[in-house]
Amino acid sequence: MLVRTLSGEKPLITLPEGSVDTQMHMYLPGFPSLPGGPGLPAGDLPTPQQYRQFMQWLGIDRVIITQGNAQQRDNRNLVACLKEMGDVARGVAAVGADVSDAELDALGEAGVVGLRIMDLPGGATDLSALEALDAKAAARGWMLAVQFDGSKILDHEARLAALKSRWVFDHHGKFFSGVTPESPQIAATRRLIDGGRCWFKFAGVYESSKSGGPGYEDVAAVARLLAAHAPERIVWGTNWPHNLAREQNDYPDDRALTDTVLGWIADDDGRRKALVDNPETLFGLPKWRAGDA
């Protein structure tokens, strides 16, 4: 039985006040998995109540809830979780290219501020919908979360460079074939970041690292380079509840993972940008003021 740790010693790196977890999933009873996606996470259902404990443990103040692949384009669970979490939460939904304005209006009323593309097995919406969803997101001031095998970024660079909305290159780029800081894929990532609409998300490092934990040295080398190159374009997420973990020994140590990944950002100023200022810009969040917690 998989059991998630929700408390314990705090990370050695103290998260700044107003920190945003920009990548996680949560679930409520009554919303089953759907054909085409993976099953629901293993173990007890990772609920809003559990996540609030997790926030308190790590020092997170705000959250972006991403629609899970298990429920494909049925965003009712996401909407219910946003209602449960209240004003500290915003959402990223999964919709098709043919989504109606009425559905987008309803999602916006519920707190959705972005749309998700995941061009990997189990994803609900692939890159064929990129331009259509970009137009819809740009018209509403929303963002796009874009996830695919970053090893193929050169094939997609021109399309990504033409996006009109703000967008984030998800999950450390998921360079499944492996890259180094000198790889052409990283040069392309830097060009996209320099274009002014692309952010880069530190989340789910274990999903693409070839060297593995606890240091994830291959991903770390690229992360340090990008954090130094464009500290104003990095965002961070816990990837809780680590949906790919099916057994207890596969479940990450969230405290250690937080320290490791945030340690790739050079200093407190860079971490404040990545955890507070940058997600405010990317997701259109209100500016954090002291005492908002």
Side-chain angles (χ1 to χ4, degrees):
M1 179 68 171
L2 189 149
V3 178
R4 298 177 182 86
T5 301
L6 299 172
S7 63
E9 290 187 26
K10 290 187 176 294
L12 298 175
I13 293 175
T14 300
L15 276 60
E17 187 177 328
S19 286
V20 183
D21 179 356
T22 71
Q23 174 69 35
M24 58 77 62
H25 311 282
M26 68 175 61
Y27 303 85
L28 284 166
F31 301 97
S33 59
L34 298 177
L40 292 169
D44 291 340
L45 208 59
T47 62
Q49 182 181 12
Q50 285 190 353
Y51 183 72
R52 284 190 179 277
Q53 291 179 255
F54 183 80
M55 292 175 78
Q56 186 173 16
W57 173 31
L58 295 188
I60 297 162
D61 290 304
R62 297 177 286 179
V63 60
I64 304 298
I65 308 171
T66 300
Q67 168 74 354
N69 291 319
Q71 287 141 346
Q72 293 290 284
R73 298 177 187 172
D74 181 350
N75 293 284
R76 289 179 299 165
N77 172 76
L78 171 63
V79 168
C81 289
L82 287 168
K83 183 177 181 180
E84 188 78 15
M85 290 298 295
D87 199 46
V88 302
R90 297 291 186 272
V92 172
V95 301
D98 59 351
V99 63
S100 68
D101 285 340
E103 182 177 350
L104 293 176
D105 288 344
L107 289 170
E109 286 292 323
V112 166
V113 294
L115 302 175
R116 184 183 199 196
I117 287 176
M118 185 181 178
D119 200 329
L120 291 169
T125 304
D126 63 25
L127 281 166
S128 66
L130 181 65
E131 285 79 11
L133 293 190
D134 175 49
K136 294 177 185 297
R140 293 170 179 268
W142 289 4
M143 53 78 67
L144 294 180
V146 182
Q147 187 176 161
F148 60 94
D149 179 353
S151 303
K152 302 175 182 178
I153 194 171
L154 296 175
D155 297 336
H156 306 303
E157 183 180 0
R159 295 176 68 196
L160 294 167
L163 293 179
K164 302 296 190 295
S165 52
R166 304 179 307 279
W167 67 280
V168 63
F169 192 13
D170 234 331
H171 278 60
H172 291 280
K174 283 198 170 176
F175 300 102
F176 286 133
S177 296
V179 291
T180 70
E182 293 74 35
S183 295
Q185 291 88 348
I186 303 307
T189 301
R190 291 175 66 174
R191 287 193 295 271
L192 289 167
I193 289 171
D194 291 346
R197 295 192 180 276
C198 173
W199 280 252
F200 190 85
K201 187 188 290 176
F202 286 13
V205 56
Y206 45 78
E207 294 185 2
S208 59
S209 173
K210 290 188 167 299
S211 58
Y216 307 101
E217 287 82 3
D218 54 343
V219 175
V222 169
R224 290 190 182 101
L225 172 74
L226 294 178
H229 174 71
E232 73 285 357
R233 296 291 173 182
I234 304 300
V235 296
W236 166 84
T238 62
N239 209 34
W240 189 87
H242 313 290
N243 285 352
L244 295 184
R246 313 308 293 182
E247 304 291 338
Q248 195 67 47
N249 60 1
D250 294 330
Y251 199 81
D253 178 337
D254 283 293
R255 175 180 178 269
L257 192 63
T258 298
D259 281 330
T260 296
V261 173
L262 293 183
W264 300 337
I265 301 171
D267 54 30
D268 288 343
D269 181 63
R271 283 186 282 272
R272 176 170 179 81
K273 286 185 172 70
L275 274 65
V276 182
D277 301 334
N278 300 347
E280 287 177 347
T281 302
L282 174 61
F283 295 96
L285 305 179
K287 290 290 184 184
W288 182 266
R289 299 171 300 176
D292 278 354

